[in-house]
Amino acid sequence: MTKLLAALEAGGTKFLCALGTDDGELRVQTRIPTTSPAETTEKAIRFFQEQQASFGEVAALGIAAFGPLDLNPQSPFYGHITSTPKPGWANADLLGSMARAMNVPVTIDTDVNAAALAEWRWGSAQGLDPVVYLTIGTGIGGGALVNGRPVHGLVHPEMGHILIPHDKGIDPFPGSCPFHGDCLEGLASGPAMERRWQKRAELLPQDHPAWRLETHYLALGLTTIILSLSPERIILGGGVMQQGHLFPLIRAEVRSLLNAYVQAEEILGGMDDYIVPPALGEKAGIMGALAMACSLV
Amino acid sequence: MTKLLAALEAGGTKFLCALGTDDGELRVQTRIPTTSPAETTEKAIRFFQEQQASFGEVAALGIAAFGPLDLNPQSPFYGHITSTPKPGWANADLLGSMARAMNVPVTIDTDVNAAALAEWRWGSAQGLDPVVYLTIGTGIGGGALVNGRPVHGLVHPEMGHILIPHDKGIDPFPGSCPFHGDCLEGLASGPAMERRWQKRAELLPQDHPAWRLETHYLALGLTTIILSLSPERIILGGGVMQQGHLFPLIRAEVRSLLNAYVQAEEILGGMDDYIVPPALGEKAGIMGALAMACSLV
């Protein structure tokens, strides 16, 4: 028998709320603009309460959230958003405010760990280990599953902030990350592209040199991730990756950077099935929240 | 009751062979110079056979080997050393040659995955998850445990070859890696130091600028590993790390590079217990082979 579950994708610009079932079917959804923590969570709670009145009680809630998050269940700040620059949200108790109102088991993880989980369970990474999911958009975030479980550790992966080679002779842009300057996110996120080229990334034509540079930075980051974690598949989502022409360019440059050192057919063969877009598309995050709720029942 | 087990640390310059027990006690050991695959494995097999004649049959053999290795049990080349530049050893069937002679269950992993396992089981990383073990010596290698299990994935981590920022204005040395030039290993291994400074690393005095640069490269690498995998502890072994004065320098620079982005007491508090030498010292590799044998019985 399928169980009714609640899923929340808490993003910096919108909260997606959905009911779904443990076979991966989403039933009813809504979208709430992200304003203050109190107002946004209150609207999310009201949505879930109204839907439960129509469809019946949910068995659990999964939350896939922007971060950084405190994911240590022993911490007094478990489930809080921590050092975000987003106004009003630093130290917001997202898990607690939802859990107190919902009165069902609730779990939380990063949006990218959740998306990796959804792709592993229902998408393009079934049966693979490890799996990495990267989003390239307003920020760059990376999640990882090992043996089907999201990696937490000290906090959780923050792959967007890894340090990559940056030739300032070719690209004098100093980087846009307030913490690290020219880390991967500081060089290759959507806002970094916009500041460097003074134009929104999606308005830059495919033959603009911006895309060669973007390919270069993403390939450097992916090469380091491959060498660190040896993933069996890497999924690239997010607004910047809507530029589908980047995929073959990135694959070719990663292959060139690895230079046949990693002897695996997935890489030497061209990587068409190795560096891929999410099979679940824009639903990877909310489906990840649903997959997390599944793990509670 | 303790079980008798065989452990082999197959290194590029020597093979260490030992008998031990599943409570982590090493009993009898020998050291064989690494020559050709046939000669070296034959001597290792003879040692184990002689010791078994005296002490009784072993229940299993664990092999901790230099690499890269094929660790895919479905591969026809499972347990082979693959793309090593070491003469005679490329494509050597290390697992097969030992398994055919020993006639007990045999398992193989990288020396650094094995060392991570030993430190997790008996050393300085007990109960932690993930754990990273890096060796900085003739090469740079990194192993990782997640949930107490060595990470394999596509092949296995090759953290020595991650790409890091390299300011050629400050350090014009092009790097010594035959595959990637100025990757972490190409800039910071023992041979890279020797080629850059025209002097063996252990002969450079503590106030030589070599050590500040070495600290910088290792800190860049560790920062990226922390952001990729979020380990709960990082253990640094190998010949270069015999320079104990590097530890506080590395910790300070990693902290500065992370710039308070990773909100964890282990990092913000100074990292004395976060970036550490191996509690098992030079025995981490052979103890790792023993731990692997334990997992078979």
Side-chain angles (χ1 to χ4, degrees):
Chain A
M1 203 192 95
T2 55
K3 281 194 172 147
L4 194 63
L5 300 161
L8 167 59
E9 182 184 2
T13 53
K14 62 178 188 295
F15 273 36
L16 278 181
C17 304
L19 296 194
T21 51
D22 56 4
D23 54 2
E25 196 195 328
L26 291 177
R27 292 218 177 142
V28 52
Q29 277 190 68
T30 194
R31 172 186 298 243
I32 297 162
T34 307
T35 56
S36 72
E39 184 182 36
T40 320
T41 54
E42 193 188 308
K43 286 184 181 169
I45 290 162
R46 198 178 316 141
F47 167 81
F48 286 124
Q49 286 170 342
E50 286 169 4
Q51 298 308 318
Q52 288 188 99
S54 306
F55 294 96
E57 298 293 303
V58 300
L61 165 65
I63 306 175
F66 71 100
L69 297 171
D70 186 333
L71 295 180
N72 174 8
Q74 268 71 55
S75 162
F77 305 107
Y78 175 60
H80 290 222
I81 291 169
T82 61
S83 51
T84 179
K86 190 171 172 61
W89 284 86
N91 308 312
D93 181 12
L94 182 57
L95 178 80
S97 58
M98 295 303 299
R100 281 188 292 276
M102 295 287 289
N103 202 27
V104 292
V106 183
T107 187
I108 190 167
D109 211 324
T110 61
D111 44 11
V112 279
N113 266 350
L117 186 65
E119 290 286 330
W120 180 77
R121 187 155 181 154
W122 294 305
S124 63
Q126 294 178 45
L128 300 179
D129 176 36
V131 173
V132 167
Y133 184 102
L134 278 175
T135 178
I136 324 290
T138 312
I140 297 183
L145 295 194
V146 175
N147 198 21
R149 291 171 44 163
V151 172
H152 293 160
L154 203 57
V155 282
H156 49 72
E158 278 287 354
M159 297 182 196
H161 295 269
I162 64 175
L163 304 171
I164 58 171
H166 172 203
D167 186 335
K168 288 174 188 151
I170 292 171
D171 173 27
F173 179 64
S176 65
C177 174
F179 290 91
H180 313 112
D182 58 353
C183 64
L184 179 59
E185 176 171 303
L187 290 172
S189 65
M193 293 188 73
E194 183 171 347
R195 276 180 52 188
R196 182 189 291 110
W197 303 104
Q198 298 292 309
K199 205 172 200 178
R200 292 179 55 166
E202 63 267 36
L203 301 179
L204 296 165
Q206 283 194 18
D207 59 357
H208 192 285
W211 296 115
R212 211 177 54 181
L213 195 63
E214 182 71 3
T215 295
H216 179 59
Y217 291 138
L218 293 177
L220 286 168
L222 293 182
T223 298
T224 281
I225 289 166
I226 291 167
L227 292 165
S228 298
L229 198 57
S230 202
E232 289 193 327
R233 191 151 298 166
I234 298 176
I235 300 155
L236 300 183
V240 170
M241 296 313 300
Q242 297 297 312
Q243 307 282 332
H245 69 281
L246 290 180
F247 278 93
L249 300 175
I250 291 169
R251 291 179 190 124
E253 188 155 352
V254 168
R255 192 169 171 218
S256 160
L257 287 167
L258 285 171
N259 196 21
Y261 185 70
V262 175
Q263 294 279 319
E265 186 48 41
E266 291 83 344
I267 287 177
L268 302 176
M271 293 192 279
D272 286 4
D273 298 322
Y274 185 64
I275 297 175
V276 299
L280 304 173
E282 294 184 355
K283 288 186 181 168
I286 189 75
M287 295 284 284
L290 182 63
M292 288 158 55
C294 289
S295 70
L296 293 177
V297 297
Chain B
M1 202 192 96
T2 56
K3 281 194 173 149
L4 194 64
L5 301 160
L8 168 59
E9 183 184 2
T13 53
K14 62 179 187 295
F15 272 36
L16 278 181
C17 305
L19 296 195
T21 51
D22 56 5
D23 53 3
E25 197 195 328
L26 291 177
R27 293 218 177 142
V28 51
Q29 277 190 69
T30 196
R31 173 186 297 243
I32 297 162
T34 307
T35 56
S36 72
E39 183 182 36
T40 320
T41 54
E42 193 189 308
K43 285 184 182 171
I45 290 161
R46 198 178 317 142
F47 167 81
F48 287 124
Q49 286 171 340
E50 286 169 3
Q51 298 309 318
Q52 289 188 100
S54 307
F55 294 96
E57 298 294 303
V58 301
L61 165 66
I63 306 174
F66 71 101
L69 296 171
D70 186 334
L71 295 180
N72 174 8
Q74 267 71 56
S75 161
F77 304 107
Y78 175 60
H80 291 223
I81 292 168
T82 60
S83 51
T84 179
K86 189 169 173 61
W89 284 87
N91 308 312
D93 181 12
L94 182 57
L95 178 81
S97 58
M98 295 303 299
R100 280 188 292 275
M102 296 285 291
N103 202 25
V104 292
V106 183
T107 186
I108 190 166
D109 211 325
T110 62
D111 43 11
V112 280
N113 266 350
L117 186 66
E119 290 285 329
W120 180 78
R121 186 154 182 156
W122 294 305
S124 63
Q126 294 178 45
L128 300 179
D129 176 36
V131 173
V132 167
Y133 185 101
L134 278 175
T135 180
I136 324 290
T138 311
I140 297 184
L145 296 193
V146 175
N147 198 21
R149 289 170 47 162
V151 172
H152 293 162
L154 201 57
V155 281
H156 49 72
E158 279 287 354
M159 297 183 196
H161 295 270
I162 63 175
L163 304 171
I164 58 171
H166 173 203
D167 186 335
K168 289 174 189 151
I170 292 171
D171 173 26
F173 179 64
S176 65
C177 174
F179 289 92
H180 313 111
D182 59 352
C183 65
L184 178 59
E185 176 171 302
L187 290 171
S189 65
M193 293 187 74
E194 184 172 345
R195 275 180 53 187
R196 182 189 291 110
W197 303 105
Q198 297 293 309
K199 205 171 199 176
R200 291 179 55 168
E202 62 268 37
L203 301 179
L204 296 164
Q206 283 194 18
D207 59 357
H208 192 285
W211 297 115
R212 212 177 55 181
L213 196 63
E214 182 70 3
T215 296
H216 179 60
Y217 291 138
L218 294 178
L220 286 167
L222 292 181
T223 298
T224 280
I225 289 166
I226 291 167
L227 292 164
S228 297
L229 198 56
S230 202
E232 290 193 325
R233 191 152 298 168
I234 298 176
I235 301 156
L236 300 183
V240 171
M241 296 314 299
Q242 297 296 313
Q243 307 282 331
H245 69 281
L246 290 180
F247 279 92
L249 301 175
I250 291 169
R251 291 178 190 124
E253 188 155 353
V254 168
R255 193 170 170 216
S256 160
L257 287 167
L258 285 171
N259 197 21
Y261 185 70
V262 175
Q263 293 279 318
E265 187 48 41
E266 290 83 345
I267 287 176
L268 302 175
M271 293 193 277
D272 286 3
D273 298 323
Y274 185 64
I275 297 175
V276 299
L280 304 173
E282 294 185 353
K283 288 186 182 168
I286 189 77
M287 295 284 284
L290 183 62
M292 288 159 56
C294 288
S295 71
L296 293 178
V297 297

